[in-house]
Every structure is written in C-alpha cells, then in structure tokens.
Amino acid sequence: MAAKILLIALLALASSHALASDPSPLQDFCVADMDSKVRVNGFVCKDPTVVKAEDFFSTGLDKAGDTGKKLGSNVTAVNVNKIVGLNTLGISMVRIDYAPKGLNAPHTHPRATEILTVIEGQLFVGFVTSNSDNGNRLFTKMLKKGDVFVFPEGLIHFQFNPGHTNTVAIGALSSQNPGTITIANAVFGSKPPISDEVLAKAFQIAEMAAKILLISLLAMASSLAMASDPSPLQDFCVADKASKVRVNGFVCKDPTVVKAEDFFSTGLDKAGDTGKKLGSNVTAVNILTVIEGQLLVGFVTSNTDNGNRLFTKMLKKGDVFVFPEGLIHFQFNPGHTKTVAIGALSSQNPGTITIANAVFGSKPPISDDVLAKAFQVDKKTVDWLQAQFWADNNN
C-alpha cells in the first residue's frame, strides 16, 4: 500500500524534468521519415501509426571497425541516419576503435557534448579551451578500461592510443546529428581550398611555406563559436522560400544547391527612409556587416556535409554575411586600406576558438606525437609550429 501511495504521489514528478537538446520534442517521438521530400531542421516525422520497434533499434556495435587507415582509428556512428527513432531526441552514439598508436585526430562537434567510456585498452585524451578562457588551456588525461571523460560542446579534442594493443571506446553525444569537423581536413582540405594568403596569415608563415604545408599536410586556421533558436541538427538549414510546406520557421533548401549568396545580403550602407511620423527607419538583418572597406569571408562545412565544402564571398561596404553556428570561418582584408565590420552573435558569450592558436599554441602543448599523426607530417614540423608566437586579435 505504501508503494502504491508513493507511486501516486510521484506521478506528478516522475517525468517532470527535461534536458536541453536538439529541439525539444512536442510528442512522444518523431521517427524520421527518410522518404519524405520535405526538408526541415532534422527530419519530417513518420506517421506514428506505422512506427515499429525496429525504428528504435540498431545492431552490430559489437563488431570492430577497420583501423587499417592512416590515422589507425575508425568511428562507427549510431545517429539518426542509423536509428530513425532518434529524430528530435537529442542523443546519438559512436563506437571508436584504435589500433596501437591509433589517433582520433583533433576535431570538434559543433552541436554536441561528448561523454566517452573506455571499454578495452587505454587512451590519452584531451581538449583545448577557447581563446577567452585564459588562452587555450589544454586538459589531458590518461584513461584506462572503465574510465569516463567529457568533451564539452564545440571544443577541439582528440584521443590517442599510446599502447601496443587495440583500444575500444563508446561515446554518447548530445545531438541526433552532432557533426564532426576534423581540423586538418576542414582547413587544408576544403573544397575549393582556402586561399593560401589567408592560411599564411593565420599560421604566421610565409605564403610559400603555406603552399608547401598545404600540399604536404591535407590539413588548418580560423574561428568557431556556439548558441541558438531551435538547436540546429545539421550545418545549416537555408530557407526554401518557394516551398508551400509550413513549419516552425521555413523548410530547408536542398543543401546540394546552396551557395554563398544564400548567406549574403547587400545595401546596408544605404540610408533608410526617415520621412515618417517618428522620423526613423529600421533595416533588419542578422549578422556580420561591413562598415568600411572590403572583406573576403568564408566558412567550411563539417565532414558529414559532402566533405568540407568552402563557401566564400567578397564583401564591400554595406554587405552582410552569415556564419552558421559552430563552423570554422574567417575574414580577410585583401585591400590596401583599413576595413571595419560589425558582427552580431546569438549568445551573450559565444566563445572563440582560433584554430591555429588552439592546436599549436595550447598550454601545455598538445603532444607532437598526436599532431604529427593528425597532420601527417614529421615531429620537427610540429615542433617548429608550436614554437611560433600565436597572435590573438580578441580583446
């Protein structure tokens, strides 16, 4: 009887708490309808009357992934593409296999915090804080079987197996589609490539050295931030204004036809009409606005978006450009006069991670074993880069 009373008394509390997630679910579940042609932030819901247990199920995570690649590691993801029932639930999982000396190279998850558990073997892990946190501090730990480590959302992190036996780890991530940006690939392997003039300036090396680094690495420079309306479930959701489908916000345009102009606006240097009763005019936009001069700007999509696509645009006075949350981006003044820009960010403290500083200028430095493997160069090159004075333009 006491148990029944306790049960009744707790019914009002048992399910009353919630966690911040992908957008909060508004029904029991929203199983992704992968066959729908409608594009939204995440996926359209399948008719709940046809949902079955298999929509919440996946198998095979007991099987080791192929670690016979350059980095000696393999990530097997269990996300919404694998389990359609994860749609809108704000969680996914990975199994990571590491060969001896295998590395999961420095990377970020722009939409998720990760909690990692070592199942077999050992791992040397670490993450680097943002520029604003007393200058890119490196937190590292050697993990053994049964140990757990947390990588905060959006921060650059890595895992390295220093031993002579295989290691297995399981990670849980706080998004159905956390995204992965492998720093080396995104910065030196984007399609099309980032200008070597931009990279040379970012890494404080000669332009020719940047070209050599570009060719020999496949590998890095710029900034990254976080925060939002409903949390994004992919790199971007460009509004399809032509769609007749009505959702909260707008239906997403097919990402394969998205172009730099979709993140661009012009004319903010023109005065608005103040010949009204109040004698004022508001011209609304969101996000980086050029006040004087010109800027070459760009951002790189995550690994999952057809391989690190680069979107670039030359801006002049009055032009506006948007950098999606969490993606590596840059601005460069190619001219001979000063440029001024104003940016608005969707957080009271968005954080900034300047890639070159965080990876090569962390305190203490990231192991040269880790960086040499990540960038596929010798340790002398890594040691030289770490010895440079890394400038920071954030006040």
Side-chain angles (χ1 to χ4, degrees):
M1 178 58 72
K4 287 182 179 179
I5 293 170
L6 190 59
L7 180 62
I8 293 167
L10 291 178
L11 273 176
L13 301 174
S15 300
S16 62
H17 69 279
L19 300 176
S21 68
D22 280 343
S24 300
L26 303 179
Q27 57 265 339
D28 287 349
F29 50 72
C30 172
V31 173
D33 183 352
M34 296 299 196
D35 296 323
S36 174
K37 302 299 183 188
V38 178
R39 296 178 183 275
V40 296
N41 185 25
F43 295 94
V44 171
C45 308
K46 186 185 288 189
D47 180 348
T49 63
V50 300
V51 169
K52 50 191 186 301
E54 282 69 23
D55 291 327
F56 302 91
F57 170 78
S58 178
T59 189
L61 218 58
D62 58 324
K63 305 292 191 298
D66 176 17
T67 58
K69 302 170 185 174
K70 278 188 177 180
L71 294 180
S73 66
N74 187 89
V75 178
T76 304
V78 182
N79 54 28
V80 69
N81 295 309
K82 200 81 167 280
I83 301 179
V84 290
L86 284 174
N87 193 36
T88 76
L89 298 186
I91 194 166
S92 60
M93 178 179 282
V94 293
R95 170 183 170 138
I96 313 176
D97 293 278
Y98 312 81
K101 309 300 180 184
L103 171 71
N104 192 10
H107 63 283
T108 73
H109 300 297
R111 296 180 287 277
T113 292
E114 178 179 3
I115 183 165
L116 188 84
T117 306
V118 176
I119 306 301
E120 293 293 341
Q122 59 181 330
L123 274 183
F124 177 63
V125 303
F127 67 84
V128 183
T129 60
S130 68
N131 298 11
S132 56
D133 180 58
N134 198 26
N136 303 123
R137 286 191 296 160
L138 173 66
F139 290 79
T140 62
K141 188 76 177 174
M142 183 65 76
L143 307 184
K144 63 183 188 303
K145 182 177 178 179
D147 288 350
V148 179
F149 197 81
V150 174
F151 303 103
E153 178 178 335
L155 298 188
I156 294 172
H157 59 283
F158 63 87
Q159 303 105 33
F160 177 63
N161 176 10
H164 302 286
T165 58
N166 292 336
T167 292
V168 180
I170 296 290
L173 299 104
S174 60
S175 172
Q176 68 178 47
N177 180 22
T180 299
I181 301 173
T182 303
I183 303 304
N185 298 15
V187 176
F188 286 109
S190 69
K191 304 178 186 74
I194 297 172
S195 156
D196 52 16
E197 195 175 6
V198 170
L199 294 180
K201 191 93 173 182
F203 286 91
Q204 301 160 46
I205 55 178
E207 201 166 320
M208 180 54 70
K211 289 181 179 177
I212 293 169
L213 198 60
L214 182 64
I215 293 167
S216 63
L217 292 186
L218 219 206
M220 179 173 234
S222 261
S223 302
L224 185 154
M226 53 208 88
S228 74
D229 279 349
S231 299
L233 303 179
Q234 58 262 342
D235 286 348
F236 48 69
C237 174
V238 173
D240 183 354
K241 297 293 187 71
S243 175
K244 303 298 184 187
V245 178
R246 296 183 181 277
V247 296
N248 184 24
F250 294 95
V251 170
C252 308
K253 187 183 289 189
D254 180 346
T256 63
V257 301
V258 168
K259 52 191 184 300
E261 282 69 22
D262 292 324
F263 302 91
F264 168 77
S265 177
T266 190
L268 216 61
D269 57 325
K270 305 296 189 293
D273 176 18
T274 59
K276 302 171 184 176
K277 281 188 176 180
L278 294 179
S280 65
N281 187 88
V282 177
T283 304
V285 291
N286 305 312
I287 308 306
L288 179 85
T289 307
V290 176
I291 305 300
E292 293 292 341
Q294 59 181 333
L295 275 181
L296 174 67
V297 302
F299 66 85
V300 182
T301 61
S302 67
N303 298 11
T304 53
D305 179 60
N306 199 28
N308 304 124
R309 285 191 295 160
L310 173 65
F311 291 79
T312 62
K313 187 76 178 173
M314 183 66 76
L315 308 184
K316 64 182 187 304
K317 182 177 178 179
D319 288 351
V320 181
F321 198 81
V322 175
F323 302 102
E325 177 181 336
L327 300 188
I328 290 173
H329 58 282
F330 63 88
Q331 303 103 35
F332 176 64
N333 176 10
H336 301 288
T337 58
K338 288 183 179 179
T339 291
V340 179
I342 298 291
L345 299 101
S346 57
S347 170
Q348 66 179 39
N349 183 21
T352 300
I353 300 173
T354 305
I355 304 302
N357 298 24
V359 175
F360 290 112
S362 69
K363 306 179 187 72
I366 297 173
S367 158
D368 54 10
D369 281 325
V370 169
L371 294 180
K373 189 120 185 176
F375 288 90
Q376 298 162 44
V377 294
D378 59 42
K379 291 184 184 179
K380 287 184 179 178
T381 302
V382 171
D383 292 341
W384 180 82
L385 285 165
Q386 288 181 319
Q388 304 309 302
F389 173 76
W390 293 106
D392 182 7
N393 64 349
N394 292 276
N395 295 321

